[in-house]
Amino acid sequence: MNMRLLGRVELAFFGVVYALITVSGASVLLHPPRSYGYVADVLTIGWGVLQLLAVVGVVSVIARKPLWEWRVVALVACGILLYAVVSYMAVSAEGFGHLPRATDITALAVALGARFFALWRKVEQAKIQARAQSGAGEGVV
């Protein structure tokens, strides 16, 4: 598999991930789950709003703007982590039956964190390349 095709597959994958997270965030805001009790309402609204920011991830993937994606992915991961916190609250209140969901959600947040750092590396490499290109033309008269 060549690198160009691999890059397209990666973009398509993350585009779908962000789209699904956007749907989740919108769903939470439109029809908040009540199974967690009213103590978690603020956290539920928080996770919905932060997940809804994944729409920027969808747009950034389509527009091929990794800087946009980099700026929003950490916030989206925080939204996923809020959902994980609520799920861990359910584990402590209702038992280990909620643990698989809580750990799966945590794994998604960690994966999005890894995406943040991969994008950070790309952004830093682009800055270095831009500096090198701008510096290369300075000595020419």
Side-chain angles (χ1 to χ4, degrees):
M1 183 179 274
N2 68 31
M3 292 304 288
R4 186 176 217 143
L5 178 59
L6 185 60
R8 288 182 184 154
V9 169
E10 178 185 14
L11 286 175
F13 175 82
F14 279 102
V16 169
V17 168
Y18 290 131
L20 291 170
I21 293 170
T22 301
V23 170
S24 175
S27 170
V28 164
L29 293 174
L30 293 172
H31 305 286
R34 297 288 176 218
S35 56
Y36 298 111
Y38 293 103
V39 174
D41 281 350
V42 173
L43 293 177
T44 301
I45 291 168
W47 106 54
V49 168
L50 289 171
Q51 284 184 347
L52 200 55
L53 292 174
V55 73
V56 176
V58 173
V59 172
S60 68
V61 166
I62 291 169
R64 295 183 182 230
K65 300 287 186 181
L67 183 61
W68 297 355
E69 182 185 357
W70 173 66
R71 288 181 173 158
V72 77
V73 70
L75 295 171
V76 173
C78 287
I80 301 291
L81 281 175
L82 282 176
Y83 184 22
V85 166
V86 172
S87 296
Y88 284 114
M89 288 169 56
V91 170
S92 67
E94 299 173 24
F96 289 103
H98 297 277
L99 189 59
R101 179 187 62 244
T103 54
D104 287 349
I105 295 165
T106 303
L108 175 59
V110 169
L112 289 172
R115 180 68 176 170
F116 170 82
F117 287 109
L119 288 167
W120 188 9
R121 183 178 38 177
K122 284 183 181 182
V123 167
E124 290 301 317
Q125 287 172 346
K127 286 179 186 177
I128 291 168
Q129 186 177 16
R131 274 190 234 120
Q133 287 176 349
S134 68
E138 290 177 2
V140 179
V141 177

